[in-house]
């Protein structure tokens, strides 16, 4: 029989284990053998454009992120399927009498969206790539797909690291609201909602809206690449809710394990929470708000809670949402 200590391939000349190893003490690895960083990064960004004046804002905001992380940007325009080509032949999503005027409007929107991309690309000059194989550094690609916006964004958004959409409101198309709704409800991915105007610096003084909910926790997890880029103290706006346990100290401790310094900021109880949050962000010169998108129940409608709805309608800086 083989001795109990027999090991295949061992010999009397094998190097003996050190007494420190035998005592269960592991020697620290040399610096040149250190494991590479496993910090998650944003490598694939899906940007939704609809042919309105809001296109440039989302493109410029995505560019800042792509330059920081070396990301690829897919610029997506969903061209409405007027003739139902992508649907079942027994289904139609538009009355045939409306085909011609709708087809004209769809074609114009696609032309504008493509022009906005080309003007933006002429300035940023990102390489055009269709595949990520052996690609080093940021890149971009125009993608125009015929179909229905909710289906296309859901399908492509699920295989993206970040979805960038314009904030709805005055001057936006109905597709802006559809893009935001679909990205939040149907992809399980982080969504960056971008307001009009000059792109903000999303790596400067980020502010976390924390209420202990699942949605807020998901948003923070997705935002770690942004939070890690800021070398100062990340501020936490804690807004307790009766149905959640807001443990800010545990959140600070969690962020600390990622090398992120964070602290809670005072909350003015005299004002509504949403108004208070945006006032704090403005005073802090925040470049990014991180928060969960809270809904009333599990319905498919765009029924957000009061704070989420207020911030969506009034925020002048980008917001990283998760549902």
């Amino acid at each position: 029989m083989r001795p109990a200590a027999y090991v295949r391939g061992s010999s009397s000349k094998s190097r003996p284990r050190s007494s420190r190893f035998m005592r269960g003490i592991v020697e620290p690895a040399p610096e040149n053998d250190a494991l590479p960083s496993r910090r998650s990064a944003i490598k694939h960004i899906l940007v939704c454009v609809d042919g309105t004046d809001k296109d440039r804002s989302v493109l410029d905001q995505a560019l800042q992120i792509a330059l920081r992380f070396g990301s690829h940007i897919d610029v997506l325009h969903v061209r409405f399927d007027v003739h139902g080509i992508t649907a079942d032949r027994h289904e139609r999503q538009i009355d045939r009498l409306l085909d011609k005027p709708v087809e004209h409007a769809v074609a114009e929107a696609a032309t504008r969206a493509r022009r906005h991309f080309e003007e933006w690309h002429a300035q940023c000059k990102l390489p055009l790539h269709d595949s990520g194989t052996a690609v080093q550094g940021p890149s971009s690609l125009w993608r125009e797909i015929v179909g229905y916006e909710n289906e296309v964004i859901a399908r492509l958004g699920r295989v993206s690291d970040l979805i960038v959409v314009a904030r709805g409101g005055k001057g936006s198309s109905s597709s802006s609201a559809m893009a935001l709704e679909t990205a939040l409800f149907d992809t399980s991915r982080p969504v960056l909602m971008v307001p009009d105007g000059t792109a903000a610096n999303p790596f400067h003084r980020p502010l976390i809206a924390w209420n202990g909910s699942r949605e807020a926790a998901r948003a923070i997890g997705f935002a770690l690449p942004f939070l890690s880029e800021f070398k100062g103290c990340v501020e936490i706006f804690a807004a307790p809710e009766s149905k959640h346990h807001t443990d800010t100290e545990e959140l600070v401790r969690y962020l600390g394990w990622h090398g992120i310094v964070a602290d809670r900021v005072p909350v003015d109880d005299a004002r509504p929470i949403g108004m208070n949050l945006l006032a704090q962000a403005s005073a802090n010169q925040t470049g990014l708000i991180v928060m969960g998108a809270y809904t009333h129940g599990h319905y498919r409608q765009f029924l957000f809670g009061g704070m989420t709805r207020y911030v969506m309608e009034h925020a002048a800086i980008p917001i990283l949402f998760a549902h």
Side-chain angles (χ1 to χ4, degrees):
M1 294 178 63
R2 294 174 179 173
Y6 179 86
V7 179
R8 184 182 296 273
S10 64
S11 69
S12 59
K13 295 182 181 181
S14 298
R15 183 177 179 179
R17 298 178 179 180
S18 68
S19 58
R20 288 173 61 82
F21 181 89
M22 295 296 289
R23 292 198 302 270
I25 301 175
V26 180
E27 297 282 358
E31 289 186 3
N32 58 352
D33 291 335
L35 292 174
S37 171
R38 294 184 179 181
R39 189 189 72 190
S40 61
I42 297 169
K43 291 301 181 182
H44 183 269
I45 302 172
L46 181 67
V47 177
C48 302
V49 295
D50 59 6
T52 67
D53 293 340
K54 296 177 180 290
D55 288 351
R56 189 56 188 255
S57 296
V58 294
L59 288 168
D60 286 345
Q61 196 66 70
L63 177 63
Q64 284 205 4
I65 299 168
L67 292 176
R68 180 66 65 98
F69 294 119
S71 316
H72 172 77
I73 302 175
D74 267 349
V75 181
L76 171 68
H77 177 72
V78 181
R79 184 168 180 148
F80 180 69
D81 187 2
V82 179
H83 302 291
I85 298 172
T86 62
D88 185 277
R89 63 189 181 91
H90 297 295
E91 296 179 0
R92 289 300 307 273
Q93 294 198 10
I94 186 170
D95 191 290
R96 291 184 183 276
L97 294 175
L98 299 177
D99 277 4
K100 288 300 180 182
V102 171
E103 187 173 8
H104 178 70
V106 165
E108 284 191 336
T111 299
R112 290 194 303 269
R114 180 61 185 261
R115 184 177 71 249
H116 294 163
F117 168 76
E118 291 176 346
E119 292 171 352
W120 171 80
H121 183 262
Q123 293 183 355
C124 70
K125 301 185 185 304
L126 291 185
L128 297 173
H129 288 294
D130 186 35
S131 171
T133 306
V135 172
Q136 299 293 329
S139 59
S140 65
L141 184 71
W142 169 255
R143 301 190 68 180
E144 182 177 316
I145 298 178
V146 176
Y148 304 118
E149 198 161 28
N150 59 329
E151 296 176 359
V152 177
I153 292 177
R155 177 166 57 87
L156 300 187
R158 291 168 187 163
V159 286
S160 300
D161 295 320
L162 179 68
I163 306 169
V164 183
V165 299
R167 188 184 74 182
K170 185 178 180 181
S172 63
S173 67
S174 58
S175 64
S176 294
M178 174 66 77
L180 180 58
E181 178 183 349
T182 300
L184 279 171
F185 279 96
D186 291 339
T187 67
S188 297
R189 309 306 297 162
V191 178
L192 186 69
M193 189 189 75
V194 179
D196 296 339
T198 305
N201 180 359
F203 307 102
H204 179 69
R205 301 179 71 90
L207 178 64
I208 297 173
W210 175 244
N211 70 346
S213 69
R214 177 185 61 184
E215 294 88 347
R218 283 174 57 82
I220 291 168
F222 286 135
L224 286 176
F226 293 92
L227 302 177
S228 298
E229 289 294 310
F230 180 57
K231 303 309 178 185
C233 181
V234 174
E235 294 192 340
I236 301 172
F237 181 94
E241 292 187 2
S242 57
K243 62 180 180 179
H244 301 298
H245 180 65
T246 309
D247 195 334
T248 308
E249 294 303 318
E250 286 299 325
L251 175 58
V252 170
R253 183 174 182 270
Y254 165 74
L255 293 172
W257 287 111
H258 289 272
I260 299 167
V261 178
D263 197 11
R264 180 174 181 171
V265 297
V267 176
D268 180 6
D269 295 331
R271 289 184 291 185
I273 295 176
M275 185 182 297
N276 198 348
L277 172 66
L278 294 183
Q280 178 66 36
S282 177
N284 194 41
Q285 296 184 324
T286 293
L288 179 71
I289 294 176
V290 178
M291 66 180 293
Y294 321 116
T295 60
H296 295 302
H298 301 285
Y299 298 102
R300 185 58 181 80
Q301 289 81 14
F302 205 47
L303 300 174
F304 289 102
M307 175 182 175
T308 308
R309 186 169 55 251
Y310 181 87
V311 172
M312 281 183 166
E313 293 174 354
H314 297 88
I317 58 177
I319 304 175
L320 185 71
F321 281 117
H323 174 62

